Amino acid sequence: MRTTHLHTPKSIDTFKRQLLNWGQQFHESVWMDSNQVHQTYSSFDAVLAVDAVTCIKTDYSEAFSRLKEYQSITKDWIFGYLTYDLKNAVEDLKSENIDGLQFPELYFFQPKKLFLFKGDIVEMHYLNMVSDECEEDLKAICHCEEERRGNLLNDIKIKPRIQQENYLEKVNTMLEHIHRGDIYEANFCQEFYAENTRINPLETYQKLNDISKPPFASFIKLGDKYILSASPERYLKKTGNKIVSQPIKGTAKRSQNETEDNLLKEQLSIDEKERSENIMIVDLVRNDLSKTANKGTVKVEELCKVYTFPQVHQMISTVTSEIEASIHPVDLIESTFPMGSMTGAPKISAMKIIEELEETKRGVYSGAVGYFTPNNDFDFNVVIRSILYNEIKRYVSFSVGSAITAKSNPLKEYEECLIKAKAMREVLES
């Protein structure tokens, strides 16, 4: 593999946009951008991987064992996603709800060309088979014009899969489960969608990213399937023998009035319900990490810390552990999947009840997007605040959810979902 270090010839933001536009010519393209936010544990500012030399696509059956074999054989960078429905490979569960998107349940590829941003340096990694294309590509990137905007009619009509009245009934049913002691907490989600429609995926992603500026943004093109993510949440990261998980539970809206905005942030930090949600999931994550951790190494480095993003305030905790070098990276993911922030506690009971009450197969939503490195490290986000698009089926979808606990007010939970949906709905309908 050929590696080139490049000092970007112009502003980083301009070069990023040109690179992202250039990357759309390939059948496979993965772009990840930290937006230089919440970077304590970030390895890179941004990453672009394009053009598969090998790939794996599969349903949930033996998904983790097949991914483990693929990652072990390639011993290279691989990029892709894990859908929420891989839960069926981990536990005796099923997914039988509506699936308008029809994405493979697991998809990873080994790129021919890779760009890693850190500060004003870009590392260009090219497989030997395409190493002679590096200089020609760089010229093309620097002359790449942005796609013309507004080339599609904006007639998208977003519909809720669950009407408000029905949503309130379902949350009350979930509360009955909680009061009976079946579960303590569950993340209940709902889909918003549009059929027989077309979008410009790259333009839609850029609009979403511009108004959200999240730390785990990603634009994924895998043939005719697109993931446009403005995720604020890290699922799991491995660096050497250290594991980091950063679950989010607790959301408050922003205000344009600075005094009111600071008050909203302060209220979130002391809100008893929001803190209890977060702490329950922290306990679940601690339990998940303990399955593979060296004894006594699971630590909560941050508990219920409030971070501010352009659209919302979020309560985030950071849980870490240390592992033996002999543990396979895919085994680490399998032992914690799906992430606790998108399921509930106890996890298996929560997932069963979720399946009964939700009306849509989650698929990529509340799964994870990320990568493995050649030295067995990895980093994955949680796929939330994301627009999913099947270009062939002309189907656009985004889902939102909230944590239901004994103290939940169904109407307030519905309003929280609308707050989370605001940015995605805005970029699709405006």
Side-chain angles (χ1 to χ4, degrees):
M1 176 173 278
R2 174 181 172 180
T3 301
T4 301
H5 289 77
L6 170 72
H7 286 271
T8 52
K10 52 186 72 180
S11 80
I12 289 288
D13 288 342
T14 299
F15 188 72
K16 280 182 177 180
R17 284 187 178 260
Q18 288 178 320
L19 187 65
L20 184 51
N21 276 276
W22 171 82
Q24 299 322 295
Q25 67 183 288
F26 300 100
H27 189 268
E28 302 88 6
S29 180
V30 170
W31 169 256
M32 300 176 182
D33 193 347
S34 72
N35 286 297
Q36 298 183 321
V37 175
H38 190 33
Q39 289 186 297
T40 305
Y41 296 99
S42 294
S43 299
F44 307 103
D45 296 337
V47 177
L48 176 72
V50 298
D51 201 11
V53 62
T54 66
C55 74
I56 177 175
K57 290 187 282 186
T58 183
D59 63 13
Y60 73 86
S61 179
E62 299 182 346
F64 285 105
S65 60
R66 292 186 63 187
L67 176 61
K68 185 175 180 178
E69 179 184 30
Y70 178 67
Q71 193 271 340
S72 299
I73 291 172
T74 58
K75 294 181 181 177
D76 198 359
W77 293 88
I78 60 171
F79 291 77
Y81 67 76
L82 310 155
T83 65
Y84 171 80
D85 301 297
L86 296 187
K87 65 183 174 59
N88 305 334
V90 179
E91 304 291 347
D92 183 19
L93 300 169
K94 58 187 178 181
S95 298
E96 296 181 342
N97 289 326
I98 297 165
D99 181 11
L101 285 160
Q102 301 289 315
F103 279 47
E105 291 178 334
L106 179 147
Y107 196 145
F108 279 84
F109 74 95
Q110 176 190 8
K112 294 178 185 175
K113 305 175 183 183
L114 176 64
F115 300 77
L116 305 173
F117 287 76
K118 194 69 175 178
D120 65 348
I121 303 294
V122 182
E123 289 183 15
M124 303 170 65
H125 298 257
Y126 274 50
L127 292 182
N128 291 334
M129 67 178 69
V130 292
S131 61
D132 60 342
E133 299 175 15
C134 182
E135 292 182 11
E136 183 180 337
D137 283 350
L138 187 55
K139 290 179 183 177
I141 292 163
C142 290
H143 290 89
C144 190
E145 297 293 330
E146 288 199 30
E147 275 187 45
R148 289 189 177 184
R149 303 303 176 100
N151 58 340
L152 295 176
L153 293 174
N154 233 342
D155 59 350
I156 298 172
K157 299 290 186 272
I158 302 295
K159 298 183 288 186
R161 181 68 65 183
I162 303 174
Q163 297 297 326
Q164 180 177 346
E165 183 177 349
N166 193 17
Y167 173 90
L168 299 178
E169 290 174 357
K170 287 174 178 288
V171 172
N172 279 319
T173 300
M174 190 164 280
L175 286 169
E176 290 172 8
H177 281 288
I178 292 171
H179 295 146
R180 279 201 303 266
D182 300 333
I183 51 173
Y184 307 112
E185 175 179 356
N187 193 283
F188 179 55
C189 302
Q190 58 176 317
E191 182 194 25
F192 294 82
Y193 68 102
E195 299 172 292
N196 299 315
T197 193
R198 294 173 62 213
I199 64 171
N200 181 318
L202 182 55
E203 179 180 351
T204 303
Y205 163 76
Q206 288 171 331
K207 286 180 178 178
L208 184 62
N209 189 55
D210 286 347
I211 64 174
S212 301
K213 295 295 182 186
F216 302 103
S218 54
F219 175 91
I220 317 295
K221 175 192 176 188
L222 298 169
D224 60 351
K225 313 291 195 305
Y226 292 86
I227 304 169
L228 321 174
S229 180
S231 174
E233 182 172 0
R234 170 176 277 124
Y235 158 44
L236 206 63
K237 178 179 172 68
K238 176 183 180 290
T239 307
N241 70 340
K242 183 170 184 177
I243 308 302
V244 178
S245 181
Q246 295 181 290
I248 291 179
K249 271 288 163 279
T251 304
K253 64 182 180 180
R254 298 290 312 276
S255 171
Q256 294 182 345
N257 180 285
E258 184 177 354
T259 301
E260 184 180 1
D261 195 53
N262 288 333
L263 180 60
L264 289 166
K265 182 177 181 179
E266 174 64 23
Q267 288 173 337
L268 175 60
S269 70
I270 61 175
D271 187 290
E272 185 178 344
K273 173 188 173 293
E274 304 284 17
R275 289 183 67 87
S276 67
E277 284 182 18
N278 196 295
I279 290 167
M280 274 191 273
I281 297 305
V282 166
D283 285 343
L284 192 156
V285 171
R286 289 173 64 239
N287 182 67
D288 281 348
L289 293 187
S290 70
K291 298 172 187 175
T292 56
N294 294 337
K295 188 174 180 179
T297 64
V298 178
K299 294 182 171 62
V300 180
E301 295 191 1
E302 290 180 333
L303 184 63
C304 299
K305 183 173 180 179
V306 177
Y307 287 84
T308 297
F309 301 96
Q311 298 291 318
V312 291
H313 300 293
Q314 298 276 200
M315 187 180 286
I316 303 175
S317 293
T318 299
V319 188
T320 65
S321 68
E322 294 179 8
I323 60 164
E324 295 294 335
S326 59
I327 297 176
H328 196 281
V330 175
D331 290 339
L332 286 164
I333 292 173
E334 184 176 9
S335 68
T336 62
F337 200 84
M339 62 290 299
S341 62
M342 297 307 295
T343 54
K347 185 186 275 191
I348 297 173
S349 297
M351 288 191 289
K352 289 179 178 178
I353 293 167
I354 285 167
E355 179 69 23
E356 291 173 6
L357 292 176
E358 292 181 357
E359 295 192 7
T360 307
K361 182 177 177 179
R362 288 191 183 180
V364 176
Y365 171 71
S366 73
V369 163
Y371 61 84
F372 295 88
T373 73
N375 61 351
N376 288 334
D377 288 341
F378 60 72
D379 199 2
F380 284 86
N381 76 2
V382 179
V383 183
I384 54 175
R385 320 290 160 80
S386 301
I387 296 168
L388 306 173
Y389 178 46
N390 185 320
E391 189 173 35
I392 296 297
K393 291 179 66 66
R394 297 179 63 179
Y395 189 92
V396 179
S397 169
F398 64 87
S399 295
V400 291
S402 67
I404 310 302
T405 69
K407 297 180 180 178
S408 289
N409 177 309
L411 184 57
K412 287 185 177 179
E413 298 297 339
Y414 186 78
E415 290 169 350
E416 180 178 327
C417 288
L418 297 184
I419 291 170
K420 292 174 177 176
K422 180 182 176 185
M424 293 174 289
R425 189 158 203 158
E426 185 178 314
V427 301
L428 287 170
E429 293 188 333
S430 64

mmCIF file with all atom_site columns, all heavy atoms in Angstrom, residues 201-214:
data_model
loop_
_atom_site.group_PDB
_atom_site.id
_atom_site.type_symbol
_atom_site.label_atom_id
_atom_site.label_alt_id
_atom_site.label_comp_id
_atom_site.label_asym_id
_atom_site.label_entity_id
_atom_site.label_seq_id
_atom_site.pdbx_PDB_ins_code
_atom_site.Cartn_x
_atom_site.Cartn_y
_atom_site.Cartn_z
_atom_site.occupancy
_atom_site.B_iso_or_equiv
_atom_site.pdbx_formal_charge
_atom_site.auth_seq_id
_atom_site.auth_comp_id
_atom_site.auth_asym_id
_atom_site.auth_atom_id
_atom_site.pdbx_PDB_model_num
ATOM 1   N N   . PRO A 1 201 ? -28.862 12.909 -2.477 1.00 0.00 ? 201 PRO A N   1
ATOM 2   C CA  . PRO A 1 201 ? -28.308 12.453 -1.200 1.00 0.00 ? 201 PRO A CA  1
ATOM 3   C C   . PRO A 1 201 ? -27.187 13.341 -0.661 1.00 0.00 ? 201 PRO A C   1
ATOM 4   O O   . PRO A 1 201 ? -27.173 13.646 0.539  1.00 0.00 ? 201 PRO A O   1
ATOM 5   C CB  . PRO A 1 201 ? -27.803 11.045 -1.519 1.00 0.00 ? 201 PRO A CB  1
ATOM 6   C CG  . PRO A 1 201 ? -28.596 10.606 -2.687 1.00 0.00 ? 201 PRO A CG  1
ATOM 7   C CD  . PRO A 1 201 ? -28.816 11.850 -3.496 1.00 0.00 ? 201 PRO A CD  1
ATOM 8   N N   . LEU A 1 202 ? -26.257 13.735 -1.523 1.00 0.00 ? 202 LEU A N   1
ATOM 9   C CA  . LEU A 1 202 ? -25.131 14.518 -1.038 1.00 0.00 ? 202 LEU A CA  1
ATOM 10  C C   . LEU A 1 202 ? -25.576 15.891 -0.564 1.00 0.00 ? 202 LEU A C   1
ATOM 11  O O   . LEU A 1 202 ? -25.169 16.365 0.499  1.00 0.00 ? 202 LEU A O   1
ATOM 12  C CB  . LEU A 1 202 ? -24.064 14.659 -2.129 1.00 0.00 ? 202 LEU A CB  1
ATOM 13  C CG  . LEU A 1 202 ? -22.813 15.426 -1.724 1.00 0.00 ? 202 LEU A CG  1
ATOM 14  C CD1 . LEU A 1 202 ? -22.165 14.832 -0.479 1.00 0.00 ? 202 LEU A CD1 1
ATOM 15  C CD2 . LEU A 1 202 ? -21.817 15.477 -2.879 1.00 0.00 ? 202 LEU A CD2 1
ATOM 16  N N   . GLU A 1 203 ? -26.432 16.532 -1.317 1.00 0.00 ? 203 GLU A N   1
ATOM 17  C CA  . GLU A 1 203 ? -26.941 17.843 -0.912 1.00 0.00 ? 203 GLU A CA  1
ATOM 18  C C   . GLU A 1 203 ? -27.718 17.739 0.401  1.00 0.00 ? 203 GLU A C   1
ATOM 19  O O   . GLU A 1 203 ? -27.576 18.584 1.290  1.00 0.00 ? 203 GLU A O   1
ATOM 20  C CB  . GLU A 1 203 ? -27.841 18.421 -2.002 1.00 0.00 ? 203 GLU A CB  1
ATOM 21  C CG  . GLU A 1 203 ? -28.421 19.781 -1.639 1.00 0.00 ? 203 GLU A CG  1
ATOM 22  C CD  . GLU A 1 203 ? -29.317 20.355 -2.725 1.00 0.00 ? 203 GLU A CD  1
ATOM 23  O OE1 . GLU A 1 203 ? -29.364 19.786 -3.829 1.00 0.00 ? 203 GLU A OE1 1
ATOM 24  O OE2 . GLU A 1 203 ? -29.962 21.386 -2.462 1.00 0.00 ? 203 GLU A OE2 1
ATOM 25  N N   . THR A 1 204 ? -28.520 16.684 0.532  1.00 0.00 ? 204 THR A N   1
ATOM 26  C CA  . THR A 1 204 ? -29.297 16.485 1.754  1.00 0.00 ? 204 THR A CA  1
ATOM 27  C C   . THR A 1 204 ? -28.372 16.295 2.951  1.00 0.00 ? 204 THR A C   1
ATOM 28  O O   . THR A 1 204 ? -28.583 16.878 4.022  1.00 0.00 ? 204 THR A O   1
ATOM 29  C CB  . THR A 1 204 ? -30.232 15.280 1.598  1.00 0.00 ? 204 THR A CB  1
ATOM 30  O OG1 . THR A 1 204 ? -31.083 15.473 0.467  1.00 0.00 ? 204 THR A OG1 1
ATOM 31  C CG2 . THR A 1 204 ? -31.085 15.085 2.838  1.00 0.00 ? 204 THR A CG2 1
ATOM 32  N N   . TYR A 1 205 ? -27.331 15.468 2.782  1.00 0.00 ? 205 TYR A N   1
ATOM 33  C CA  . TYR A 1 205 ? -26.357 15.276 3.861  1.00 0.00 ? 205 TYR A CA  1
ATOM 34  C C   . TYR A 1 205 ? -25.691 16.589 4.251  1.00 0.00 ? 205 TYR A C   1
ATOM 35  O O   . TYR A 1 205 ? -25.553 16.897 5.449  1.00 0.00 ? 205 TYR A O   1
ATOM 36  C CB  . TYR A 1 205 ? -25.282 14.265 3.446  1.00 0.00 ? 205 TYR A CB  1
ATOM 37  C CG  . TYR A 1 205 ? -24.073 14.344 4.337  1.00 0.00 ? 205 TYR A CG  1
ATOM 38  C CD1 . TYR A 1 205 ? -24.088 13.793 5.618  1.00 0.00 ? 205 TYR A CD1 1
ATOM 39  C CD2 . TYR A 1 205 ? -22.916 15.021 3.927  1.00 0.00 ? 205 TYR A CD2 1
ATOM 40  C CE1 . TYR A 1 205 ? -22.991 13.904 6.459  1.00 0.00 ? 205 TYR A CE1 1
ATOM 41  C CE2 . TYR A 1 205 ? -21.809 15.136 4.758  1.00 0.00 ? 205 TYR A CE2 1
ATOM 42  C CZ  . TYR A 1 205 ? -21.856 14.578 6.025  1.00 0.00 ? 205 TYR A CZ  1
ATOM 43  O OH  . TYR A 1 205 ? -20.769 14.706 6.854  1.00 0.00 ? 205 TYR A OH  1
ATOM 44  N N   . GLN A 1 206 ? -25.260 17.356 3.251  1.00 0.00 ? 206 GLN A N   1
ATOM 45  C CA  . GLN A 1 206 ? -24.547 18.595 3.556  1.00 0.00 ? 206 GLN A CA  1
ATOM 46  C C   . GLN A 1 206 ? -25.435 19.587 4.298  1.00 0.00 ? 206 GLN A C   1
ATOM 47  O O   . GLN A 1 206 ? -24.994 20.268 5.224  1.00 0.00 ? 206 GLN A O   1
ATOM 48  C CB  . GLN A 1 206 ? -23.984 19.203 2.265  1.00 0.00 ? 206 GLN A CB  1
ATOM 49  C CG  . GLN A 1 206 ? -22.801 18.405 1.732  1.00 0.00 ? 206 GLN A CG  1
ATOM 50  C CD  . GLN A 1 206 ? -22.333 18.833 0.356  1.00 0.00 ? 206 GLN A CD  1
ATOM 51  O OE1 . GLN A 1 206 ? -23.115 19.331 -0.458 1.00 0.00 ? 206 GLN A OE1 1
ATOM 52  N NE2 . GLN A 1 206 ? -21.062 18.628 0.075  1.00 0.00 ? 206 GLN A NE2 1
ATOM 53  N N   . LYS A 1 207 ? -26.712 19.650 3.925  1.00 0.00 ? 207 LYS A N   1
ATOM 54  C CA  . LYS A 1 207 ? -27.647 20.516 4.651  1.00 0.00 ? 207 LYS A CA  1
ATOM 55  C C   . LYS A 1 207 ? -27.803 20.038 6.096  1.00 0.00 ? 207 LYS A C   1
ATOM 56  O O   . LYS A 1 207 ? -27.791 20.844 7.032  1.00 0.00 ? 207 LYS A O   1
ATOM 57  C CB  . LYS A 1 207 ? -29.018 20.522 3.959  1.00 0.00 ? 207 LYS A CB  1
ATOM 58  C CG  . LYS A 1 207 ? -29.084 21.326 2.668  1.00 0.00 ? 207 LYS A CG  1
ATOM 59  C CD  . LYS A 1 207 ? -30.496 21.242 2.094  1.00 0.00 ? 207 LYS A CD  1
ATOM 60  C CE  . LYS A 1 207 ? -30.646 22.063 0.825  1.00 0.00 ? 207 LYS A CE  1
ATOM 61  N NZ  . LYS A 1 207 ? -32.011 21.929 0.253  1.00 0.00 ? 207 LYS A NZ  1
ATOM 62  N N   . LEU A 1 208 ? -27.961 18.732 6.262  1.00 0.00 ? 208 LEU A N   1
ATOM 63  C CA  . LEU A 1 208 ? -28.140 18.164 7.603  1.00 0.00 ? 208 LEU A CA  1
ATOM 64  C C   . LEU A 1 208 ? -26.904 18.411 8.459  1.00 0.00 ? 208 LEU A C   1
ATOM 65  O O   . LEU A 1 208 ? -27.004 18.796 9.627  1.00 0.00 ? 208 LEU A O   1
ATOM 66  C CB  . LEU A 1 208 ? -28.430 16.665 7.488  1.00 0.00 ? 208 LEU A CB  1
ATOM 67  C CG  . LEU A 1 208 ? -28.737 15.912 8.777  1.00 0.00 ? 208 LEU A CG  1
ATOM 68  C CD1 . LEU A 1 208 ? -29.999 16.457 9.440  1.00 0.00 ? 208 LEU A CD1 1
ATOM 69  C CD2 . LEU A 1 208 ? -28.886 14.417 8.500  1.00 0.00 ? 208 LEU A CD2 1
ATOM 70  N N   . ASN A 1 209 ? -25.738 18.201 7.877  1.00 0.00 ? 209 ASN A N   1
ATOM 71  C CA  . ASN A 1 209 ? -24.498 18.398 8.619  1.00 0.00 ? 209 ASN A CA  1
ATOM 72  C C   . ASN A 1 209 ? -24.277 19.868 8.952  1.00 0.00 ? 209 ASN A C   1
ATOM 73  O O   . ASN A 1 209 ? -23.819 20.214 10.052 1.00 0.00 ? 209 ASN A O   1
ATOM 74  C CB  . ASN A 1 209 ? -23.309 17.862 7.818  1.00 0.00 ? 209 ASN A CB  1
ATOM 75  C CG  . ASN A 1 209 ? -22.032 17.841 8.633  1.00 0.00 ? 209 ASN A CG  1
ATOM 76  O OD1 . ASN A 1 209 ? -21.972 17.268 9.714  1.00 0.00 ? 209 ASN A OD1 1
ATOM 77  N ND2 . ASN A 1 209 ? -20.999 18.499 8.124  1.00 0.00 ? 209 ASN A ND2 1
ATOM 78  N N   . ASP A 1 210 ? -24.626 20.749 8.026  1.00 0.00 ? 210 ASP A N   1
ATOM 79  C CA  . ASP A 1 210 ? -24.396 22.182 8.246  1.00 0.00 ? 210 ASP A CA  1
ATOM 80  C C   . ASP A 1 210 ? -25.219 22.719 9.411  1.00 0.00 ? 210 ASP A C   1
ATOM 81  O O   . ASP A 1 210 ? -24.768 23.606 10.140 1.00 0.00 ? 210 ASP A O   1
ATOM 82  C CB  . ASP A 1 210 ? -24.721 22.978 6.968  1.00 0.00 ? 210 ASP A CB  1
ATOM 83  C CG  . ASP A 1 210 ? -23.659 22.799 5.886  1.00 0.00 ? 210 ASP A CG  1
ATOM 84  O OD1 . ASP A 1 210 ? -22.571 22.271 6.198  1.00 0.00 ? 210 ASP A OD1 1
ATOM 85  O OD2 . ASP A 1 210 ? -23.933 23.175 4.726  1.00 0.00 ? 210 ASP A OD2 1
ATOM 86  N N   . ILE A 1 211 ? -26.433 22.180 9.604  1.00 0.00 ? 211 ILE A N   1
ATOM 87  C CA  . ILE A 1 211 ? -27.265 22.708 10.697 1.00 0.00 ? 211 ILE A CA  1
ATOM 88  C C   . ILE A 1 211 ? -27.067 21.942 12.000 1.00 0.00 ? 211 ILE A C   1
ATOM 89  O O   . ILE A 1 211 ? -27.463 22.424 13.060 1.00 0.00 ? 211 ILE A O   1
ATOM 90  C CB  . ILE A 1 211 ? -28.771 22.734 10.336 1.00 0.00 ? 211 ILE A CB  1
ATOM 91  C CG1 . ILE A 1 211 ? -29.312 21.324 10.126 1.00 0.00 ? 211 ILE A CG1 1
ATOM 92  C CG2 . ILE A 1 211 ? -29.017 23.600 9.124  1.00 0.00 ? 211 ILE A CG2 1
ATOM 93  C CD1 . ILE A 1 211 ? -30.822 21.292 9.904  1.00 0.00 ? 211 ILE A CD1 1
ATOM 94  N N   . SER A 1 212 ? -26.429 20.765 11.933 1.00 0.00 ? 212 SER A N   1
ATOM 95  C CA  . SER A 1 212 ? -26.271 19.949 13.134 1.00 0.00 ? 212 SER A CA  1
ATOM 96  C C   . SER A 1 212 ? -24.844 19.922 13.670 1.00 0.00 ? 212 SER A C   1
ATOM 97  O O   . SER A 1 212 ? -24.634 19.854 14.884 1.00 0.00 ? 212 SER A O   1
ATOM 98  C CB  . SER A 1 212 ? -26.728 18.504 12.863 1.00 0.00 ? 212 SER A CB  1
ATOM 99  O OG  . SER A 1 212 ? -28.072 18.466 12.460 1.00 0.00 ? 212 SER A OG  1
ATOM 100 N N   . LYS A 1 213 ? -23.843 19.886 12.775 1.00 0.00 ? 213 LYS A N   1
ATOM 101 C CA  . LYS A 1 213 ? -22.418 19.840 13.153 1.00 0.00 ? 213 LYS A CA  1
ATOM 102 C C   . LYS A 1 213 ? -22.147 18.808 14.240 1.00 0.00 ? 213 LYS A C   1
ATOM 103 O O   . LYS A 1 213 ? -21.584 19.119 15.282 1.00 0.00 ? 213 LYS A O   1
ATOM 104 C CB  . LYS A 1 213 ? -21.949 21.231 13.601 1.00 0.00 ? 213 LYS A CB  1
ATOM 105 C CG  . LYS A 1 213 ? -21.963 22.284 12.508 1.00 0.00 ? 213 LYS A CG  1
ATOM 106 C CD  . LYS A 1 213 ? -20.973 21.949 11.411 1.00 0.00 ? 213 LYS A CD  1
ATOM 107 C CE  . LYS A 1 213 ? -20.952 23.023 10.325 1.00 0.00 ? 213 LYS A CE  1
ATOM 108 N NZ  . LYS A 1 213 ? -20.105 22.637 9.177  1.00 0.00 ? 213 LYS A NZ  1
ATOM 109 N N   . PRO A 1 214 ? -22.527 17.558 14.030 1.00 0.00 ? 214 PRO A N   1
ATOM 110 C CA  . PRO A 1 214 ? -22.345 16.536 15.067 1.00 0.00 ? 214 PRO A CA  1
ATOM 111 C C   . PRO A 1 214 ? -20.931 15.968 15.040 1.00 0.00 ? 214 PRO A C   1
ATOM 112 O O   . PRO A 1 214 ? -20.217 16.082 14.031 1.00 0.00 ? 214 PRO A O   1
ATOM 113 C CB  . PRO A 1 214 ? -23.360 15.472 14.665 1.00 0.00 ? 214 PRO A CB  1
ATOM 114 C CG  . PRO A 1 214 ? -23.345 15.548 13.161 1.00 0.00 ? 214 PRO A CG  1
ATOM 115 C CD  . PRO A 1 214 ? -23.160 17.002 12.821 1.00 0.00 ? 214 PRO A CD  1
#
